[in-house]
Structure formats: C-alpha cells, structure tokens
Amino acid sequence: MSVYYHKFEVRWSDIDANRHLGNSTYVDYCSQTRMAFLNKNKIGLTQLNRWGVGPVMLHERYSFFKEIYADQTVYVALEVAALSEDGSIYQFVHKFYLPDGTHCATAEATGVWIDMMLRKTTTPPDDIMEVMNEYKSENVQTITREYLKTLPFRPENIDASLLENFK
C-alpha cells in the first residue's frame, strides 16, 4: 500500500471571498493531484490516448475541518479506497494536509474508465491496474455497478417548455 502526495502553494486566485481556499479550488487540487499521480506512474495523456481510455469522475463529496489560507503550502494525498474487480470503477480518497500534518479536509471521488471512442465504461489496461493496486488503502472496498446506483443523485429530466421563459 502506498499513498501519493502532491504539493500545492496556495495562490491568491485560489482564495474565495471568505479569504480561505475556495470550494472550486478543492475540486481543482483533487483533479490536479489525480493527473499528477497518473503522470508520475507513466499513465499520462499520451499513454491514455494510445490506449484509448480516459478517467471520468461521476461523483465527488467533501468534508472540511480546518481553513487553508493564501500563501500556505498544502499537500493533497491520494489513495485508492475502492475498486471493482475488473478495475472499471474506482474511488479515490484525497486528504488535505498542512506541512505540520494538520488534516484540513477529505474528498471522496468516484469514477469510471471509459473507452474514448465508444464513450462507454471499459476495463483499464493491466498497466493501470498495477498502479491502482499499488495505491490501494488498507481498507479498500470492492465495488460493483450496483454501487453506482446508490450515489445520491439520479437524472431527473424536465419538460423543456419549463425553460422557455428563461431564454
């Protein structure tokens, strides 16, 4: 089991009106951490394009414990918290830490690997599975397609005529 850490220097543009790290910045930091993790493990965009697969996030949720301010350094950890047997579905847990080890926030991100041509869920190449297995957390869960149905939101289409007054 390994944990991946990515370091950020909090910029002025990362701060919101409350003078702490903005909500959208947490999302950006998690996304950048995942891409840096893939790049470090030789699964960058070039390789993903060669394989014809891509990571897609389906759901993210956050818990915040301590504010992060401008000009601070923050480390974002990444662990694989859950994985389907074929690796097509995965869940990362990200933890935000200050340099002294203070735990500021946790994010959980659930995603799937897709075939970029078919735009459908696919099993990732063995190279990806090796890396995902290396970064499994101690308490990794096995998830299935049924798990995706338990995510808190489902599509709810509306009658398009309801939007006519807002065009």
Side-chain angles (χ1 to χ4, degrees), residues 5 13 23 26 35 48 52 65 78 93 123 129 137 154 164:
Y5 293 93
S13 60
N23 288 54
Y26 283 92
M35 291 313 297
L48 291 171
F65 315 121
L78 175 151
V93 168
T123 300
M129 285 303 296
S137 71
R154 305 295 304 156
E164 289 299 319

Side-chain angles (χ1 to χ4, degrees), residues 60-108:
E60 292 185 63
R61 64 183 178 174
Y62 294 79
S63 293
F64 305 99
F65 315 121
K66 181 166 177 48
E67 294 176 295
I68 299 172
Y69 300 106
D71 299 323
Q72 284 188 301
T73 299
V74 63
Y75 294 88
V76 180
L78 175 151
E79 287 183 279
V80 176
L83 197 59
S84 63
E85 287 186 14
D86 69 355
S88 62
I89 307 168
Y90 55 87
Q91 187 176 81
F92 292 120
V93 168
H94 297 288
K95 294 181 181 176
F96 289 69
Y97 296 103
L98 296 178
D100 68 0
T102 301
H103 184 189
C104 298
T106 296
E108 177 188 89

Side-chain angles (χ1 to χ4, degrees), residues 38 48 53-55 87-88 90 112-115 120-122 124 128 132:
L38 293 174
L48 291 171
V53 299
S88 62
Y90 55 87
V112 296
W113 292 101
I114 66 164
D115 180 303
K120 297 203 182 284
T121 304
T122 191
I128 291 176
M132 298 294 274

Side-chain angles (χ1 to χ4, degrees), residues 14-30:
D14 297 334
I15 302 303
D16 67 12
N18 294 319
R19 298 184 313 224
H20 60 209
L21 202 64
N23 288 54
S24 62
T25 305
Y26 283 92
V27 176
D28 290 342
Y29 280 15
C30 286

